[in-house]
Amino acid sequence: MSAGWFRRRFLPGEPLPAPRPPGPRASPVPYRRPRFLRGSSSSPGAADASRRPDSRPVRSPARGRTLPWNAGYAEIINAEKSEFNEDQAACGKLCIRRCEFGAEEEWLTLCPEEFLTGHYWALFDGHGGPAAAILAANTLHSCLRRQLEAVVEGLVATRPPMHLNGRCICPSDPQFVEEKGIRAEDLVIGALESAFQECDEVIGRELEASGQVGGCTALVAVSLQGKLYVANAGDSRAILVRRDEIRPLSFEFTPETERQRIQQLAFVYPELLAGEFTRLEFPRRLKGDDLGQKVLFRDHHMSGWSYKRVEKSDLKYPLIHGQGRQARLLGTLAVSRGLGDHQLRVLDTNIQLKPFLLSVPQVTVLDVGQLELQEDDVVVMATDGLWDVLSNEQVAWLVRSFLPGNQEDPHRFLKLAQMLIHSTQGKEDSPTEEGQVSYDDVSVFVIPLHSQGQESSGR
């Protein structure tokens, strides 16, 4: 895996690496000595990469755009599950143009003073190969910028108008916006949702054209107009850590957490299961000896449990098999949202998983301007390799233990990210239980909020 400016980038027309066969995420792999890559937002990192014996050529992120000094810091570990990194990341500055239609119906860019700027961080955790994660890292920020530019007039308005040109065709138009409570942040949320959808379609076309497969989870943070938007599709996680507060900013999407949605889809479209699976949930996969017995079960409309007499059809493989992080959708995939996976099928069948997967993220909004920020207030974003062995409380303990004693170190956020990575590898002074080691790729962003708050208040 890799992040930001240290990931291997591929030019248009350049073949992507050969994918691994699709299979469950986080499958057991032999432990290998991890490789660390690190960088700060003050440099693209190519010089550091050239000094590493295992380095490959790198290109700066976001097609040459420079990163702001406060764009956050990343630490990355490659568990070497594959030759190419399945984790990818990106960060940079969002420059949103304020445009208008000209006489020839072409978009015209107005003066730079009317630009709306923000910051962008993203983590992509690939599965079935690195192709989808690489495409997402190179594409999603452009999709988001286009979506935001399409609504920028509404973003800078006191209240988003029903018609973007400000016309009031029906007297009830302003009343609709007021009754629905539509605000500028709703437009940003909509832009994020649309950008994920657009990026997913791009990945589908590109992978089909190149004959490749794969998918990835996506966790994105956007700082804009004094607010931090965290969009999540998958099982990566972001938390806010302050001196006296730990606040989750995202929630994992797995087959188990989205059981009812997935079961309901199978209920409405039973043909998706091709007669090979049962949509009902049982405590375990039923056996022949269970026939005729009354056992616990749940259907799509149930949050509680009931009993049913076991029939032969109930002996089919369950739609969702396993518990917790071991749960698999159709026995194949451990996540229920993400990008890609358009060609993914259940082994030895023609059953597609894509209809059950959502590319739309859940978006959480943090009003940074309403917080009395301290210098040690940070957001920690990481792929599931970190959260497999560290809880929110353990990560917060490491943050609070490290930052106060390193106030004068200009690279302290980078070093904190590195320490978080070391804590997943069974290093000394790790808060994890003895023997807990992550064998997954791990990507971590540590984003200092204090600088974000200062910048937003200065606009």
Side-chain angles (χ1 to χ4, degrees):
M1 53 153 290
S2 180
W5 40 93
F6 286 138
R7 69 174 175 272
R8 172 78 164 90
R9 285 189 173 271
F10 295 83
L11 298 173
E14 184 179 358
L16 294 173
R20 295 188 305 160
R25 299 180 67 250
S27 57
V29 295
Y31 176 73
R32 298 187 177 120
R33 181 178 63 83
R35 293 184 294 168
F36 289 88
L37 311 177
R38 69 172 181 266
S40 74
S41 55
S42 58
S43 71
D48 285 345
S50 65
R51 290 194 292 267
R52 293 194 304 274
D54 62 344
S55 65
R56 295 186 178 93
V58 296
R59 300 180 177 90
S60 58
R63 306 205 181 276
R65 287 197 296 272
T66 57
L67 301 178
W69 69 269
N70 60 349
Y73 297 81
E75 181 69 24
I76 312 100
I77 175 179
N78 181 6
E80 300 181 358
K81 293 189 300 182
S82 59
E83 179 183 0
F84 291 89
N85 299 323
E86 287 191 327
D87 275 19
Q88 296 285 312
C91 70
K93 191 171 185 178
L94 278 175
C95 293
I96 305 161
R97 299 176 299 175
R98 189 176 183 182
C99 304
E100 63 181 10
F101 281 107
E104 298 180 358
E105 297 298 314
E106 294 180 354
W107 285 102
L108 302 177
T109 303
L110 301 185
C111 59
E113 287 76 17
E114 293 186 344
F115 280 13
L116 187 62
T117 61
H119 296 133
Y120 168 92
W121 304 263
L123 294 176
F124 306 98
D125 189 353
H127 51 262
I134 292 171
L135 286 167
N138 285 305
T139 304
L140 183 55
H141 64 278
S142 297
C143 297
L144 177 59
R145 177 171 49 81
R146 283 194 297 271
Q147 295 294 338
L148 289 171
E149 287 176 351
V151 299
V152 68
E153 294 293 340
L155 288 177
V156 298
T158 304
R159 183 182 290 272
M162 180 172 175
H163 290 275
L164 202 56
N165 60 10
R167 294 178 63 189
C168 183
I169 297 177
C170 179
S172 63
D173 288 351
Q175 183 180 352
F176 172 85
V177 174
E178 184 175 351
E179 288 180 350
K180 294 291 184 180
I182 300 175
R183 298 164 295 176
E185 69 178 51
D186 296 305
L187 297 181
V188 179
I189 293 172
L192 280 162
E193 293 168 337
S194 298
F196 272 60
Q197 188 80 22
E198 179 185 347
C199 184
D200 181 61
E201 293 170 358
V202 170
I203 291 173
R205 291 194 300 269
E206 292 292 331
L207 293 187
E208 182 178 10
S210 61
Q212 303 211 49
V213 297
C216 66
T217 67
L219 177 65
V220 171
V222 174
S223 176
L224 187 66
Q225 293 181 306
K227 295 182 179 180
L228 186 74
Y229 300 83
V230 179
N232 183 48
D235 59 357
S236 296
R237 188 187 306 174
I239 63 171
L240 167 66
V241 179
R242 307 183 70 197
R243 183 178 303 173
D244 56 355
E245 180 185 12
I246 306 171
R247 187 186 306 184
L249 297 179
S250 68
F251 302 91
E252 285 90 324
F253 290 102
T254 67
E256 194 170 47
T257 63
E258 292 206 279
R259 174 190 62 84
Q260 288 182 281
R261 177 186 68 80
I262 295 170
Q263 283 183 313
Q264 184 173 23
L265 185 62
F267 169 74
V268 177
Y269 302 101
E271 64 273 14
L272 295 176
L273 302 182
E276 298 286 339
F277 294 84
T278 173
R279 75 170 188 275
L280 302 180
E281 180 184 14
F282 299 98
R284 58 167 170 79
R285 186 178 181 185
L286 301 182
K287 304 177 181 179
D289 292 343
D290 293 307
L291 278 172
Q293 304 296 317
K294 284 192 173 182
V295 300
L296 288 167
F297 88 104
R298 286 198 295 189
D299 203 348
H300 67 92
H301 61 280
M302 302 168 63
S303 57
W305 291 83
S306 187
Y307 288 92
K308 81 177 298 285
R309 193 176 300 276
V310 177
E311 303 171 11
K312 189 175 180 179
S313 61
D314 298 326
L315 303 184
K316 295 176 183 177
Y317 202 85
L319 174 60
I320 299 171
H321 183 63
Q323 303 293 326
R325 290 187 175 272
Q326 303 305 315
R328 294 292 185 270
L329 173 60
L330 298 175
T332 305
L333 202 58
V335 291
S336 56
R337 297 201 189 193
L339 308 175
D341 290 314
H342 296 262
Q343 295 82 25
L344 183 58
R345 286 173 169 78
V346 178
L347 186 65
D348 296 329
T349 76
N350 200 36
I351 301 175
Q352 292 184 315
L353 275 79
K354 187 61 178 180
F356 296 98
L357 305 176
L358 281 182
S359 59
V360 179
Q362 181 188 60
V363 183
T364 302
V365 184
L366 178 67
D367 194 340
V368 179
Q370 297 299 315
L371 300 176
E372 296 182 3
L373 293 173
Q374 305 297 318
E375 290 189 10
D376 294 339
D377 294 345
V378 297
V379 168
V380 178
M381 295 173 58
T383 53
D384 65 318
L386 180 79
W387 309 109
D388 283 343
V389 296
L390 291 177
S391 66
N392 293 357
E393 290 72 23
Q394 288 170 326
V395 169
W397 180 83
L398 287 169
V399 170
R400 293 163 179 164
S401 300
F402 179 83
L403 289 180
N406 294 272
Q407 294 280 353
E408 304 303 321
D409 189 344
H411 303 295
R412 63 194 184 118
F413 300 109
L414 168 63
K415 293 179 179 178
L416 171 59
Q418 183 178 11
M419 186 178 69
L420 290 172
I421 294 292
H422 277 285
S423 297
T424 69
Q425 301 302 304
K427 305 295 183 181
E428 293 182 5
D429 301 325
S430 171
T432 63
E433 297 178 9
E434 186 176 355
Q436 275 195 303
V437 176
S438 176
Y439 299 114
D440 198 3
D441 300 344
V442 183
S443 303
V444 177
F445 272 121
V446 175
I447 304 171
L449 281 183
H450 187 254
S451 56
Q452 300 295 321
Q454 285 182 326
E455 182 168 305
S456 65
S457 63
R459 280 202 298 266

